[in-house]
Amino acid sequence: MPKVHPNAAAAAESPAAEASCDGRARAAEATALTVWRKSLLFNGNGFTVFDSKGNLVFRVDNYSSGSRDEIVLMDAAGKPLLTIRKKKLSLGDHWLVYDGEEAVNPRFAVKKHKGLLHSTKALARVTAPCASGSKSRLVYDVEGSYSRRCCVVYDDRRRQLAEIKKKESAQGIALGLDVFRLIVEPELDAAFAMAMVILLEQMFGSRGSLLGEACVFMRL
């Protein structure tokens, strides 16, 4: 079985720049992460994420107790960075992202795109909630196909800020849909990019919601 995480040798072989899913060139300073759709806990349900040197960066593990409607992103010291909650009394997939463990004043709202045509590339829209009575402001669009692990996050100026891509081992062996790459440009917070991966899994994943049991999304 090939190694899931990259090593220093594989990182050294990476080109200075490469094409994204939409054919655009990517800057060499982008952060490349390997995402593994597997928890480190025995029979757990979650994610494990490595950097380009094979170091553990993020993890998602489920637990048998706690809240069933939120996912908390934590740093290495256990400090909550973001809390993702499903919006109550909403139709369809509509999520709110809060700073820390806040329960008011969400930082972002993420909604699954409801397209009538199967050919549409739009997956989700991220908006910044405004003052009461004001229209929300578009912040990011997510396009592509999560089932094929080929998605791009654009800002409101159509600049590519993050991408999900299929991954191959250093020997050219395809690692399947449970192991893929997350490329994050310097302009986007990697923690928020990982939050988008979790939300795409909630919306489009074939293995069901991570919220069957409570989850904690941790940065190590």
Side-chain angles (χ1 to χ4, degrees), residues 87 94 108-109 125-131 133-139:
K87 188 175 182 180
H94 197 171
F108 299 110
R125 306 200 85 188
V126 183
T127 57
C130 299
S134 300
K135 187 176 180 179
S136 297
R137 176 175 58 87
L138 176 66
V139 182

Side-chain angles (χ1 to χ4, degrees), residues 8-73:
E13 294 172 359
S14 299
E18 59 179 294
S20 66
C21 285
D22 61 4
R24 302 181 186 182
R26 181 185 301 115
E29 64 269 17
T31 299
L33 301 173
T34 296
V35 182
W36 189 12
R37 180 63 171 82
K38 181 176 175 62
S39 169
L40 291 179
L41 297 179
F42 180 71
N43 287 335
N45 182 27
F47 287 99
T48 304
V49 184
F50 302 94
D51 65 16
S52 60
K53 296 182 179 179
N55 300 312
L56 186 63
V57 180
F58 298 97
R59 61 185 290 177
V60 182
D61 297 316
N62 62 355
Y63 296 88
S64 59
S65 61
S67 174
R68 291 177 177 266
D69 60 357
E70 68 178 38
I71 303 170
V72 181
L73 168 62

Side-chain angles (χ1 to χ4, degrees), residues 128-178:
C130 299
S132 178
S134 300
K135 187 176 180 179
S136 297
R137 176 175 58 87
L138 176 66
V139 182
Y140 305 112
D141 266 320
V142 186
E143 299 180 1
S145 172
Y146 182 72
S147 64
R148 298 179 181 177
R149 302 301 187 260
C150 186
C151 311
V152 178
V153 178
Y154 297 102
D155 67 6
D156 57 352
R157 296 165 57 187
R158 294 295 296 176
R159 295 180 302 176
Q160 180 175 316
L161 297 185
E163 182 182 15
I164 295 171
K165 291 188 68 175
K166 289 183 179 179
K167 181 179 177 61
E168 293 183 350
S169 70
Q171 294 75 31
I173 301 173
L175 298 179
L177 295 179
D178 282 347

